[in-house]
Amino acid sequence: MPATPTYARRRIGNELRKLRRQQGLSLDMVSDAIDWNKSKLSRIETAKMPISRHDLHLIASMYSIDRDALARLEDWIRQDTGGRRWWNEYADLITSAYEEFISLEAHAAGISTAHSSLIPGLLQSEGYARAVITCGPFVPDPDTADALTEIRMKRQEIITSRAAVKVSAVITESVLHNEYGGRNVMQAQLRHLLDMTRLSNVDLRLIQHASMQGVLVGAFTILTFPDARDPNMVFIEHQGGIVSKDSDRDVKRYRRYLDHLSTAAMNQTGTRELIAKRLDES
C-alpha cells in the first residue's frame, strides 16, 4: 500500500521538483546519475513515498541546494517521520485518500467548500454526522460508525482552536430539508449551524431554490496553505470516496466555480435568517 502523503512530505516533493527544474534536469537525468529507478524520484516528488536524509544528501549537490535550503528540507523530513497524529489511531478504518485529506486539512490556512446535498462535515452536529454515516449504502457496524463520527468531530477542532482556520461554505436550500436522522436530529443541526455562523472565522452562504445561476451538483473542497510554496489543492467528493487534484488548472477551475456559486448565494445574514425560519417551521 502506498504511503499516505503528509503535509511535510508534500512540501518536500514540491521543493525538490522545483529545485530539479531550476537546474534544467529531467527525471531520467537525475535517476541515471545516482542509479535510481525513475519511478522512485517521481514518487518522492509526488509525495507518494518519503525520502531519507541519506538520499536527500545524495541529490543535494546535483540540485545545488544551499545550506539554508538543505536545513529546511531536513527539518521537513523530521516532521514527516516524527510523532503520531491523532488520525493515525483510525488508520484501519479510513482510506489513504481520506487520511491525506485530514492531514492537509489540519494544516490549511483556508478551507472553501460547496455541498449540494449535505451539511459540510466541518459544520455537522454529532447527531447529524452519525445519521449521515449510518444511512448510506455502505452501513458500518456500530463501533465503526462511532469511530467515524468521532473522526468528524475531531476534525472540527481546527475551527474553534486558538489558531482557527477560515472556513467558507456554500450549500443549497435543499440541504436544510434533508432530514437525515429525523426531525429532532435536523433541528439540532439547524441550531448548530446558527451557532457556527456566529464564529468570526465561519462564512456560510445558501443558494435558494429560486436561484437561476447557482447550479451545484456534488461536493468539493479547496484547501489553501499559509506558505506560498505549498500549492493549493481541491478535493472532489463522490459516493465511493474522495479524489484530490493539485494542478493550477484544476484548482483555478474549481475556484471560479466556487466564486460563481458564492455570487449566486445569499449573504451570511440572509442565510442565517433562512436557517432560523426553517428551524421555526420544523
Side-chain angles (χ1 to χ4, degrees), residues 19-210:
L19 291 168
R20 175 177 59 78
R21 289 174 174 173
Q22 286 176 349
Q23 297 300 315
L25 299 170
S26 67
L27 288 170
D28 285 328
M29 293 168 66
V30 176
S31 299
D32 290 344
I34 57 180
D35 196 26
W36 278 6
N37 187 300
K38 177 182 174 181
S39 66
K40 176 178 178 177
L41 183 56
S42 176
R43 288 169 61 79
I44 289 172
E45 290 187 355
T46 55
K48 296 298 188 297
M49 70 175 292
I51 184 172
S52 66
R53 188 173 180 273
H54 173 270
D55 284 347
L56 173 63
H57 282 262
L58 195 60
I59 62 176
S61 59
M62 290 190 67
Y63 290 7
S64 298
I65 300 177
D66 61 35
R67 183 177 299 177
D68 290 342
L70 186 60
R72 184 170 64 248
L73 285 162
E74 289 180 335
D75 183 53
W76 291 344
I77 289 175
R78 284 191 291 272
Q79 293 176 32
D80 181 40
T81 57
R84 287 177 58 83
R85 290 80 176 177
W86 66 259
W87 52 86
N88 295 147
E89 300 176 18
Y90 306 93
D92 60 326
L93 298 177
I94 60 179
T95 65
S96 59
Y98 189 28
E99 185 177 357
E100 176 188 14
F101 176 71
I102 294 172
S103 171
L104 296 176
E105 179 185 65
H107 290 88
I111 301 172
S112 303
T113 187
H115 286 249
S116 64
S117 60
L118 295 172
I119 303 295
L122 290 178
L123 302 179
Q124 291 179 5
S125 66
E126 184 172 350
Y128 182 93
R130 187 183 306 278
V132 168
I133 289 169
T134 57
C135 75
F138 310 109
V139 180
D141 65 66
D143 290 339
T144 300
D146 288 345
L148 292 174
T149 303
E150 191 173 279
I151 291 170
R152 196 157 299 182
M153 295 301 101
K154 285 190 174 183
R155 285 174 50 206
Q156 296 179 7
E157 293 176 5
I158 62 175
I159 299 179
T160 55
S161 66
R162 182 174 300 178
V165 66
K166 172 69 175 178
V167 176
S168 301
V170 176
I171 59 175
T172 62
E173 185 175 353
S174 62
V175 168
L176 304 183
H177 296 269
N178 296 333
E179 295 189 344
Y180 298 108
R183 180 173 174 235
N184 291 339
V185 169
M186 194 62 201
Q187 286 178 335
Q189 173 62 70
L190 294 173
R191 285 192 289 269
H192 182 68
L193 276 184
L194 291 174
D195 289 341
M196 296 299 283
T197 55
R198 292 188 181 96
L199 299 175
S200 61
N201 57 312
V202 174
D203 180 49
L204 177 65
R205 297 172 183 266
L206 188 145
I207 300 173
Q208 292 181 277
H209 290 317

Side-chain angles (χ1 to χ4, degrees), residues 168-268:
S168 301
V170 176
I171 59 175
T172 62
E173 185 175 353
S174 62
V175 168
L176 304 183
H177 296 269
N178 296 333
E179 295 189 344
Y180 298 108
R183 180 173 174 235
N184 291 339
V185 169
M186 194 62 201
Q187 286 178 335
Q189 173 62 70
L190 294 173
R191 285 192 289 269
H192 182 68
L193 276 184
L194 291 174
D195 289 341
M196 296 299 283
T197 55
R198 292 188 181 96
L199 299 175
S200 61
N201 57 312
V202 174
D203 180 49
L204 177 65
R205 297 172 183 266
L206 188 145
I207 300 173
Q208 292 181 277
H209 290 317
S211 174
M212 301 295 290
Q213 296 182 334
V215 179
L216 173 58
V217 177
F220 64 92
T221 299
I222 300 172
L223 302 180
T224 57
F225 299 97
D227 195 314
R229 290 170 298 193
D230 300 327
N232 298 335
M233 290 192 73
V234 59
F235 287 82
I236 302 99
E237 297 180 40
H238 57 88
Q239 187 62 54
I242 190 168
V243 175
S244 64
K245 296 180 181 292
D246 61 2
S247 71
D248 287 343
R249 179 181 179 186
D250 286 321
V251 173
K252 287 178 180 177
R253 182 160 63 94
Y254 278 92
R255 173 58 68 184
R256 285 194 300 269
Y257 187 16
L258 189 58
D259 289 344
H260 172 73
L261 293 171
S262 298
T263 301
M266 306 172 72
N267 61 25
Q268 175 125 306

